[in-house]
Amino acid sequence: MSTWLNAGVPPTQIAEWAGHSVQVLLQVYAKCIDGQDDVARRRIEDTLGGEDAA
């Protein structure tokens, strides 16, 4: 499941596949999420229209 989280699969989807709640999934696997800061920043920038929009 940590591989799916690191691949960007939404936690809600993974929890559904695993038969867990999102809360349980993140309690167990949150420490495994690595390198998501850059991905999150890019998504925010893309949504806002690039770096100039921030």
Side-chain angles (χ1 to χ4, degrees), residues 6-37:
N6 281 316
V9 178
T12 51
Q13 183 63 61
I14 298 169
E16 182 180 325
W17 290 340
H20 296 302
S21 68
V22 173
Q23 180 181 2
V24 168
L25 177 82
L26 293 177
Q27 283 176 339
V28 174
Y29 290 96
K31 63 186 172 285
C32 300
I33 301 171
D34 184 29
Q36 297 296 314
D37 289 348

Side-chain angles (χ1 to χ4, degrees), residues 1-10 14 33-34 36 39 43:
M1 287 183 237
S2 60
T3 301
W4 295 342
L5 286 167
N6 281 316
V9 178
I14 298 169
I33 301 171
D34 184 29
Q36 297 296 314
V39 172
R43 287 180 180 166

Side-chain angles (χ1 to χ4, degrees), residues 42-53:
R42 278 195 304 270
R43 287 180 180 166
I44 292 167
E45 288 173 3
D46 289 347
T47 299
L48 295 175
E51 291 182 34
D52 294 338

